[in-house]
Amino acid sequence: MKTQEYIALEEQYGAHNYHPLDVVIQKAEGVWVTDVEGNRFLDCLAAYSAVNQGHCHPAIRKAFIEQADKVTLTSRAFRNDQLPLLYKALHDMTGFEMSLPMNSGAEAVETAVKAARKWGYKVKGIPEGKAEIICATDNFHGRTTTIVSFSTDAQYRDGFGPFTPGFPIVKYGDINSLKAAINPNTAAFLVEPIQGEAGIVVPPEGYLKEAARLCKENNVLLICDEIQAGLGRSGKMFAFEYDNIRPDMVIIGKALSGGFYPVSAVLSSKEVLGVFKPGDHGSTFGGNPLAAAVACAALKVLKDEKLIERSFELGNYFMGKLRAIKSKHIAEVRGRGLWIGFVLDTKARPYCERLMKEGILCKETHENVIRFAPPLVITKEEIDWACERIERVVLSLD
Ligand SMILES: *Cc1c(COP(=O)(O)O)cnc(C)c1O
């Protein structure tokens, strides 16, 4: 079948909740994907950072297949021999006392929200039904009805109310706005250390450090959503490390499976995750042996291949080359690690379409930002190859 035939099927029988570029991918390896016509593209989105380890990484694939031959799902009604190893690996790699596994990122965010509220009532002593979790403007934490209740993006909310109460909004990056919102009923502050979907927005220097201090002073949990920023994308294991802080809860997902399978988790302390008693919360697939085996392998690849250090170094290299492009439409090049927001003063979609013709796949976010976030296994030569084409496209549209 040809590209147009696949697209026709999708348009006719699938809900139109996405507007994908018209490329139909058939296979992928490392940073490269191949479409049904045999065209090759450099993937500069990496499935929104779920394939930090590169597409179809052989070591993760091996773990996936070996585990699929043994047992894939036990449910948490019984124990399995893979989940304990994931708990240990997460503890050893991150230093957090405990974790709670889920599947999608949004489910892990929901888990963190439930943990924070319950902690607020049972430990902090907030009166029943009054707990507040402060969120930031332009946040992205997923798509459930509770999560879109604290989105400030009109489209994410339109038509989906009534909304879940209890989520005051403060201005991202503005410490005084946070200070003013904290009150005795505040259980937590939920924040992305760098906002991904908002366009790779890095907050002002010292913001997170001061937020952490305020949270501590007021007995408020600091929850960092590292689903996109974490696991090497920002050039550190976690983006919060740039501010030398230690959040009370960290939410991870996406690259936790290297793209093989939805795996997410909440990392925290015994004090916080200890609020969950048997039966309080759960998921049929959460913590299944296939997910655990894949996640252990995905974490091991990050470490063995030094992908976090690589992201830091090559991110600076990539950003430097992008900043050297002289175009009247480039407003800013920002980011950390291999997570770059290429900000234009005009619509980004035509650029993405032209880049696709040149063999580079990337996606606009918020109209005028192109996100360059290739798998972390990308080489310097591949970055050079990409920059040559990016420059050509940008200058042709000047
Ligand atoms: C992608 C993302 C989520 C949601 O993850 P899903 O797996 O799509 O539910 C939440 N928070 C952030 C920061 C994300 O980038």
Side-chain angles (χ1 to χ4, degrees):
M1 267 179 19
K2 293 270 197 218
T3 295
Q4 286 311 322
E5 297 173 81
Y6 286 104
I7 292 173
L9 283 181
E10 188 165 321
E11 292 300 302
Q12 186 172 356
Y13 298 113
H16 296 179
N17 57 325
Y18 278 91
H19 178 34
L21 286 177
D22 283 338
V23 54
V24 180
I25 295 167
Q26 191 163 55
K27 56 186 185 191
E29 188 186 348
V31 297
W32 296 95
V33 302
T34 308
D35 75 1
V36 292
E37 320 284 342
N39 302 309
R40 259 161 58 94
F41 302 89
L42 180 72
D43 180 1
C44 273
L45 182 63
Y48 298 93
S49 298
V51 289
N52 285 356
Q53 298 87 341
H55 287 278
C56 300
H57 192 288
I60 310 173
R61 179 178 177 276
K62 183 163 177 284
F64 181 82
I65 290 172
E66 281 178 7
Q67 190 57 41
D69 277 337
K70 291 179 191 157
V71 58
T72 56
L73 185 61
T74 53
S75 87
R76 297 285 305 279
F78 312 125
R79 297 181 192 267
N80 69 69
D81 70 353
Q82 296 299 309
L83 181 55
L85 306 182
L86 175 60
Y87 285 142
K88 178 75 164 51
L90 285 172
H91 165 78
D92 291 351
M93 267 186 95
T94 70
F96 285 91
E97 285 178 335
M98 286 190 152
S99 58
L100 195 161
M102 296 296 282
N103 311 287
S104 69
E107 283 175 300
V109 172
E110 291 272 354
T111 301
V113 164
K114 287 171 84 174
R117 283 182 167 184
K118 210 173 179 77
W119 175 88
Y121 299 124
K122 309 286 173 184
V123 180
K124 183 168 176 173
I126 296 172
E128 194 52 42
K130 298 283 188 219
E132 292 181 1
I133 296 174
I134 299 171
C135 300
T137 49
D138 299 323
N139 70 72
F140 183 82
H141 299 289
R143 302 289 203 156
T144 66
T145 43
T146 284
I147 293 171
V148 299
S149 296
F150 48 83
S151 173
T152 60
D153 185 314
Q155 192 194 355
Y156 295 172
R157 295 163 57 89
D158 181 39
F160 300 130
F163 299 107
T164 311
F167 299 100
I169 302 290
V170 299
K171 192 167 182 296
Y172 186 70
D174 179 346
I175 200 71
N176 289 325
S177 175
L178 175 64
K179 197 182 268 177
I182 292 177
N183 68 68
N185 292 337
T186 308
F189 174 44
L190 169 62
V191 68
E192 297 158 86
I194 296 171
Q195 290 186 324
E197 292 316 294
I200 326 292
V201 179
V202 182
E205 183 91 39
Y207 172 67
L208 274 185
K209 205 173 184 70
E210 191 55 19
R213 199 193 57 75
L214 273 179
C215 285
K216 198 163 210 73
E217 190 176 280
N218 293 282
N219 198 21
V220 166
L221 301 176
L222 175 63
I223 311 174
C224 286
D225 181 343
E226 293 262 1
I227 291 170
Q228 192 167 152
L231 305 179
R233 176 51 62 187
S234 77
K236 302 270 186 196
M237 177 69 172
F238 294 117
F240 66 70
E241 291 170 29
Y242 282 101
D243 294 79
N244 267 313
I245 58 159
R246 194 91 191 138
D248 300 288
M249 259 193 271
V250 176
I251 312 166
I252 55 175
K254 295 203 165 109
L256 183 53
S257 71
F260 276 79
Y261 199 82
V263 191
S264 62
V266 175
L267 314 173
S268 189
S269 60
K270 285 184 183 158
E271 175 184 311
V272 173
L273 289 180
V275 299
F276 288 124
K277 300 288 181 258
D280 284 352
H281 183 56
S283 158
T284 303
F285 279 80
N288 74 69
L290 184 57
V294 161
C296 281
L299 290 171
K300 189 165 182 304
V301 166
L302 283 182
K303 195 162 80 183
D304 289 353
E305 299 186 11
K306 299 198 167 25
L307 295 184
I308 299 168
E309 296 83 345
R310 197 182 174 85
S311 173
F312 186 85
E313 281 159 28
L314 291 182
N316 284 334
Y317 179 72
F318 198 168
M319 235 177 302
K321 292 203 78 159
L322 291 174
R323 284 191 176 128
I325 299 174
K326 297 277 167 267
S327 156
K328 63 173 192 243
H329 288 305
I330 302 177
E332 191 186 359
V333 179
R334 64 189 178 209
R336 289 218 205 263
L338 279 167
W339 204 27
I340 303 168
F342 192 72
V343 188
L344 301 165
D345 68 358
T346 174
K347 277 197 179 7
R349 180 87 184 185
Y351 287 77
C352 294
E353 282 165 4
R354 288 287 280 275
L355 283 166
M356 187 177 113
K357 292 208 177 77
E358 293 278 343
I360 296 172
L361 291 185
C362 52
K363 184 80 167 79
E364 78 279 9
T365 170
H366 280 258
E367 296 270 299
N368 66 324
V369 184
I370 305 176
R371 165 176 24 203
F372 290 114
L376 309 182
V377 293
I378 194 169
T379 63
K380 211 169 168 190
E381 291 68 33
E382 285 162 336
I383 291 174
D384 292 341
W385 183 92
C387 286
E388 220 174 274
R389 279 149 187 85
I390 293 165
E391 176 159 27
R392 193 185 306 153
V393 166
V394 169
L395 295 182
S396 77
L397 288 169
D398 252 1

